[in-house]
Amino acid sequence: MAILIDGKAVSAAERELIKEQISKMTVKPGLAVILVGEDPASQVYVRNKKKACADVGIYSESYDLAAETSQAELLELIDKLNNKDDIHGILVQLPLPKHIDETAVINAIVPEKDVDAFHPVNVGKIMTGDYDFLPCTPAGVMCLLKHYNIDPSGKECVVVGRSNIVGKPQAMLLLHANGTVTICHSRTKDLKAKCLEADILVVAIGKPDFITGDMVKEGAVVVDVGINRKADGKLTGDVDFATVEPKASYITPVPGGAGPMTITMLLKNTVKAAELKGE
Ligand code: GUN
């Protein structure tokens, strides 16, 4: 029987610390959240982000823009927020409508306010290890490992998925923690063999129940970053919990594992942005 990694509990504990930290600050951290269009999943994420800000004492402003908003209009808003003193972090919820170039939008946010850590300057800093902002989802995973005293140092760490948001930065953070890191993806020849080597397996590929028990080594730590909605409306991860759990030493459930940590890391980055500005 694996130990369940309780992302809700760790997240709540971390948010208490953030709240305490904010209560001692002279400046109230401020976050602007921009949503373009009416994607229902994005609406839920944005609502949760704003609520989390209010809970810990971060000022937030939200901009809900119509799906037809032009790229120029969005860039104009970002420019305004880049120069707004009470806003320390700017978050543009992805994905954006097809007519908007995501890279152009990410690049328009000044790196000092890029609390998602998506800007190339921040991505580069993550690569060198000299970073201000940690990418939220991978940082959440690292925070969970720390809370459960799971040290990646010297371990075989396998990341399944190579997205800019999760897979690539996750690999980098595990590497900084002295793990031996392998990144697997859709062209990986023998995914099962690679996964079977993992002491720590982090899965972020967006395919429901993709990783099954036969792909996991006895005693492995399994972190499931996937959130998929099944036909019956229930949420499931990228890991087939029923067959993987009996083999794992630790495992994250979905929901309630890696998910709750992402927003908590966003709050941390916003506080960091406000602190850095105040220096
Ligand atoms: N869409 C899915 N995940 C994220 C995230 O972490 N940040 C932003 N801005 N959009 C997302």
Side-chain angles (χ1 to χ4, degrees):
M1 272 267 288
I3 293 172
L4 275 191
I5 297 180
D6 186 346
K8 272 196 203 160
V10 176
S11 185
E14 287 288 322
R15 286 187 198 191
E16 277 309 310
L17 295 176
I18 295 169
K19 209 176 188 173
E20 205 178 301
Q21 192 182 353
I22 292 172
S23 70
K24 291 181 192 147
M25 290 171 72
T26 47
V27 172
K28 193 176 174 93
L31 176 71
V33 183
I34 305 174
L35 173 65
V36 187
E38 274 122 45
D39 176 64
S42 291
Q43 283 174 330
V44 173
Y45 288 133
V46 163
R47 206 183 314 133
N48 290 341
K49 285 171 185 176
K50 288 189 287 197
K51 187 181 174 302
C53 282
D55 288 348
V56 297
I58 292 176
Y59 164 70
S60 78
E61 280 179 4
S62 55
Y63 296 86
D64 295 337
L65 309 180
E68 306 77 46
T69 302
S70 71
Q71 182 168 318
E73 284 169 312
L74 178 57
L75 293 179
E76 201 176 307
L77 172 60
I78 290 171
D79 185 50
K80 190 182 95 182
L81 295 168
N82 277 340
N83 293 295
K84 202 166 182 286
D85 276 342
D86 57 349
I87 290 299
H88 305 96
I90 302 170
L91 181 137
V92 180
Q93 186 66 28
L94 303 178
L96 287 166
K98 289 207 168 50
H99 66 279
I100 298 179
D101 175 1
E102 254 173 35
T103 306
V105 170
I106 288 168
N107 291 356
I109 299 170
V110 288
E112 300 79 28
K113 296 194 180 188
D114 168 40
V115 284
D116 264 321
F118 291 166
H119 190 285
V121 165
N122 290 322
V123 174
K125 284 176 156 231
I126 291 158
M127 190 76 143
T128 60
D130 165 36
Y131 38 75
D132 300 314
F133 304 126
L134 287 162
C136 299
T137 302
V141 172
M142 299 308 287
C143 189
L144 285 177
L145 295 179
K146 198 162 179 210
H147 266 261
Y148 284 83
N149 293 316
I150 299 162
D151 183 0
S153 182
K155 304 245 169 70
E156 294 293 332
C157 303
V158 175
V159 178
V160 186
R162 56 173 159 179
S163 69
N164 287 333
I165 296 185
V166 186
K168 285 187 214 168
Q170 185 70 72
M172 209 43 68
L173 297 191
L174 288 163
L175 182 62
H176 290 322
N178 302 312
T180 302
V181 185
T182 304
I183 305 178
C184 297
H185 46 80
S186 54
R187 302 283 177 91
T188 297
K189 275 212 183 93
D190 191 349
L191 181 69
K192 180 176 168 179
K194 298 281 181 216
C195 290
L196 276 168
E197 285 175 14
D199 300 312
I200 299 175
L201 182 64
V202 181
V203 191
I205 39 167
K207 291 186 182 165
D209 305 328
F210 183 78
I211 300 291
T212 44
D214 59 319
M215 301 167 83
V216 175
K217 182 165 78 177
E218 198 71 46
V221 173
V222 181
V223 180
D224 187 353
V225 178
I227 303 178
N228 310 288
R229 203 168 283 280
K230 290 197 285 193
D232 63 5
K234 289 211 177 101
L235 290 179
T236 190
D238 292 348
V239 172
D240 179 36
F241 191 88
T243 59
V244 172
E245 187 273 337
K247 295 188 81 178
S249 56
Y250 291 85
I251 189 166
T252 55
V254 175
M261 296 301 294
T262 299
I263 295 180
T264 303
M265 297 299 115
L266 170 72
L267 304 175
K268 265 194 166 177
N269 282 344
T270 306
V271 171
K272 183 86 184 273
E275 277 181 345
L276 287 173
K277 188 174 173 243
E279 269 174 11

